[in-house]
Amino acid sequence: MKNTDFITLLITPHMNGAYLENLALKVQSLSVDWIMYRHQNSEWVQSFIDALSPLHKPLLLNLPFKNIEEILHLSKSFAGVHLKSAYLSWITPLRQSYVDEKKIIGYSAHSVDEVKYALACGADYCTLSPIFSTPNKGTPLGMGIFHQIPHFLRSRIIALGGINHHHIPILRELGLLGFAGIRCFEVSNENHFGVVD
């Protein structure tokens, strides 16, 4: 996967029908590149696909999966999956299972070593979090963490956690793949990004 643009990744909050009804309209006005279904179960997967497939944006699936077979089944209509940190050992077998498909595999990393290992195992990208203070997400890593990562790996990292519109130009300059969040895609009257979860 090549870093051709600075990607904006919208991660869904806890979903319900009303949220999904409005999501497609929000995405258009926010210039979101990728959209991640993140929920505790798959109850809204089909509604998510129905609402967002017409936008022709990569859709990623992030669930507490039971096994690789479940991932393969549920991700058929998605551009790829995002694995929680507990699934680090699943990256290589999943990559081998996707051998004939160009599915994206993402991973939730929380340290430089985790990023390096996940990418070596076959992940296309890692989110690295929390970069800044975010409720209930642990001690922030800070922007300095990116200086510990070689440039060629930074192009496969999506920053996550407490990011606001002031941070985005700096993240671009660092050569990251992009940034992700939940609340950052709520737009104020001035069309500035808010704070990321």
Side-chain angles (χ1 to χ4, degrees), residues 8 10 22-33 35 55 57 184-188 190-193:
T8 57
L10 182 149
N22 294 316
L23 183 57
L25 295 173
K26 276 188 174 184
V27 168
Q28 293 287 23
S29 66
L30 295 173
S31 300
V32 170
D33 300 304
I35 308 162
L55 300 177
K57 294 180 182 290
C184 68
F185 297 107
E186 294 177 4
V187 178
S188 71
E190 297 85 31
N191 283 330
H192 289 142
F193 290 103

Side-chain angles (χ1 to χ4, degrees), residues 30-91:
L30 295 173
S31 300
V32 170
D33 300 304
W34 294 1
I35 308 162
M36 182 186 296
Y37 177 102
R38 186 197 60 139
H39 199 57
Q40 68 269 17
N41 59 50
S42 61
E43 76 177 293
W44 299 102
V45 165
Q46 192 57 54
S47 298
F48 180 88
I49 292 166
D50 292 345
L52 299 171
S53 289
L55 300 177
H56 304 290
K57 294 180 182 290
L59 304 179
L60 303 172
L61 182 61
N62 178 350
L63 290 171
F65 298 109
K66 295 179 184 118
N67 52 50
I68 291 175
E69 292 74 26
E70 182 185 41
I71 295 173
L72 295 172
H73 172 72
L74 289 173
S75 68
K76 286 179 183 174
S77 297
F78 286 81
V81 296
H82 185 88
L83 302 175
K84 298 177 187 314
S85 57
Y87 305 133
L88 182 60
S89 65
W90 293 10
I91 296 171

Side-chain angles (χ1 to χ4, degrees), residues 78-163:
F78 286 81
V81 296
H82 185 88
L83 302 175
K84 298 177 187 314
S85 57
Y87 305 133
L88 182 60
S89 65
W90 293 10
I91 296 171
T92 300
L94 185 58
R95 174 57 62 213
Q96 292 166 348
S97 298
Y98 282 147
V99 72
D100 294 330
E101 299 181 57
K102 295 183 180 182
K103 295 277 189 182
I104 299 167
I105 298 175
Y107 176 76
S108 292
H110 304 287
S111 71
V112 173
D113 287 340
E114 223 179 348
V115 166
K116 291 177 179 176
Y117 189 73
L119 294 175
C121 288
D124 293 298
Y125 76 90
C126 290
T127 55
L128 182 57
S129 69
I131 301 305
F132 297 103
S133 182
T134 302
N136 305 313
K137 297 297 182 186
T139 304
L141 300 170
M143 289 279 237
I145 192 85
F146 297 116
H147 297 293
Q148 300 173 34
I149 302 170
H151 283 279
F152 75 95
L153 291 181
R154 287 186 205 172
S155 65
R156 297 172 63 194
I157 295 174
I158 295 177
L160 173 64
I163 299 165

